Amino acid sequence: AMAALALRSARFGADFALYAAPAVAVALSRLGEKARARAAAWGTAAVLAALAVAPRVQAARAGSAPIAIGLDESALPLDAIRFVEASGLRERMYNDFETGSYLLFEGFPRHRVFVDPRLPAYPPELHALLGRSDLTRAEWDLAMRRFGVDSALLAYAGLNRRVAWWDPETWALVYRAHDARVFVRRSPRWRAFIAAHEIPATFTFTSAEGAATVPLARQPASSPVAACEWARRTGELLFELEGPGSAGARAAYERALAPSGCLAPDDERRLAAFSGALALAEGRVAAAAARLERALALGDGDVTTRVNLALALERAGRSRDASAAWSAVAARATDPALIEKARARARQ
């Protein structure tokens, strides 16, 4: 019966294979039993048993479970799925069909799924849409509006051309990790969520290079993120993409710190200490001292920040202030070698 269905539609080919495999395996086993002697059969069984047990012993020695039957999670964006679950983004969420089979298995009937691999169940209109590679952002957004989509989860983002079709003026990027991306439509319902999670980036795609992350040069008009916080997030993105020597990251950090008290206190304190350490490494000792003093004034308790400040003051020629800073390091440090070094520098 399954073979007849498979002949009628390729959709049932996998089902036929699953049903047929046990029957074929049993038949081959019976033929094998008749064809070989009992001793040979036992020898084959011993070899098969050894092949089956050896990997389990190796796994146990490595600290893993000797027997584990579960889903291969390597191809699934599980962290991104947990993020959209926790954030309530599953209700009207776009997904590519590669991920749809898992979402359908994991979420039904609590969640609807945009598309899954049961392709004959979907109308030709959707096949035509997902089969195109030449859509503009405006055309894609029109289609998403027609389907009522207000969030999106895209996997395999490095080679997924659709990752570049979400216009940042309309869609906020709120998750970017591993090989998954999550977008949310800019609407009043998600305004607070976007303010907390938006990442200042968009994407381009070429067949030769795949997808590329592009920091947004201009903040979208409807973005609810404060300008100083947008600058801080831009600096973090540029630092990740371009490395510690990024002039763009440094300029973004300066914009973020320019209005004192604009950032959240913890973020301002951490960024001031980090920016001060960068300035010290670049030899901008006056700027480093100002940033590090600001971090300490905001409650930074890290001894490293005090060491950096002492070094910056020392190199800036502010001997008295440097001596006081080294004394503060000696009073707060726990490493005996650092305490002795700080005391010696304080006496100079």
Side-chain angles (χ1 to χ4, degrees):
M2 298 306 300
L5 288 172
L7 289 173
R8 182 176 181 274
S9 171
R11 156 74 177 82
F12 297 95
D15 305 78
F16 167 66
L18 290 172
Y19 278 94
V24 173
V26 171
L28 290 175
S29 297
R30 290 173 177 170
L31 289 173
E33 290 171 0
K34 295 178 180 179
R36 61 180 177 266
R38 183 179 298 275
W42 280 106
T44 301
V47 172
L48 292 175
L51 291 173
V53 170
R56 302 301 96 218
V57 173
Q58 184 178 6
R61 288 178 176 176
S64 303
I67 298 177
I69 301 175
L71 184 69
D72 180 6
E73 299 181 352
S74 61
L76 292 170
L78 293 180
D79 288 341
I81 292 172
R82 283 189 282 267
F83 175 80
V84 298
E85 286 273 11
S87 305
L89 300 177
R90 286 280 303 264
E91 183 179 348
R92 304 291 302 183
M93 186 181 77
Y94 167 87
N95 65 271
D96 290 317
F97 80 86
E98 293 89 347
T99 310
S101 55
Y102 177 77
L103 292 176
L104 188 70
F105 166 78
E106 180 271 341
F108 183 82
R110 294 181 296 116
H111 301 291
R112 287 172 287 188
V113 175
F114 182 80
V115 63
D116 68 81
R118 298 175 302 166
L119 298 182
Y122 293 93
E125 175 194 7
L126 188 62
H127 287 278
L129 174 70
L130 299 181
R132 291 183 60 182
S133 60
D134 59 344
L135 290 171
T136 65
R137 284 178 165 178
E139 290 172 324
W140 181 250
D141 185 57
L142 183 62
M144 293 301 99
R145 288 183 183 276
R146 188 164 65 250
F147 289 116
V149 170
D150 60 13
S151 64
L153 165 62
L154 286 89
Y156 315 105
L159 47 81
N160 188 340
R161 68 175 63 251
R162 297 187 190 103
V163 78
W165 292 352
W166 307 86
D167 188 346
E169 293 292 337
T170 306
W171 298 89
L173 175 68
V174 294
Y175 180 93
R176 173 182 168 270
H178 311 298
D179 205 24
R181 308 289 182 263
V182 176
F183 299 88
V184 175
R185 184 181 294 280
R186 297 189 186 278
S187 64
R189 176 185 178 185
W190 300 111
R191 183 175 178 83
F193 180 80
I194 291 172
H197 296 280
E198 183 168 8
I199 301 168
T202 187
F203 302 93
T204 60
F205 183 90
T206 62
S207 299
E209 302 294 333
T213 304
V214 180
L216 288 173
R218 181 181 60 82
Q219 183 175 359
S222 57
S223 171
V225 181
C228 61
E229 175 63 13
W230 183 271
R232 185 188 72 83
R233 296 179 191 181
T234 300
E236 289 185 346
L237 180 63
L238 288 168
F239 188 88
E240 175 193 337
L241 295 175
E242 300 177 2
S246 170
R250 188 174 64 214
Y253 289 148
E254 293 297 324
R255 293 196 305 273
L257 290 169
S260 180
C262 178
L263 294 173
D266 288 346
D267 289 334
E268 184 176 356
R269 182 182 69 250
R270 285 192 293 266
L271 183 56
F274 182 67
S275 179
L278 285 179
L280 178 63
E282 295 169 355
R284 298 182 294 115
V285 292
R291 290 286 183 254
L292 295 164
E293 287 172 334
R294 181 170 171 180
L296 292 173
L298 290 167
D300 192 310
D302 194 335
V303 173
T304 301
T305 303
R306 293 188 178 276
V307 171
N308 287 338
L309 176 60
L311 290 171
L313 294 170
E314 200 173 69
R315 294 173 189 175
R318 295 167 56 181
S319 302
R320 182 176 299 178
D321 293 334
S323 178
W326 282 119
S327 296
V329 171
R332 290 168 173 79
T334 57
D335 180 20
L338 178 57
I339 294 173
E340 184 60 31
K341 178 181 178 180
R343 288 173 177 170
R345 300 286 279 268
R347 291 192 294 267
Q348 293 179 0

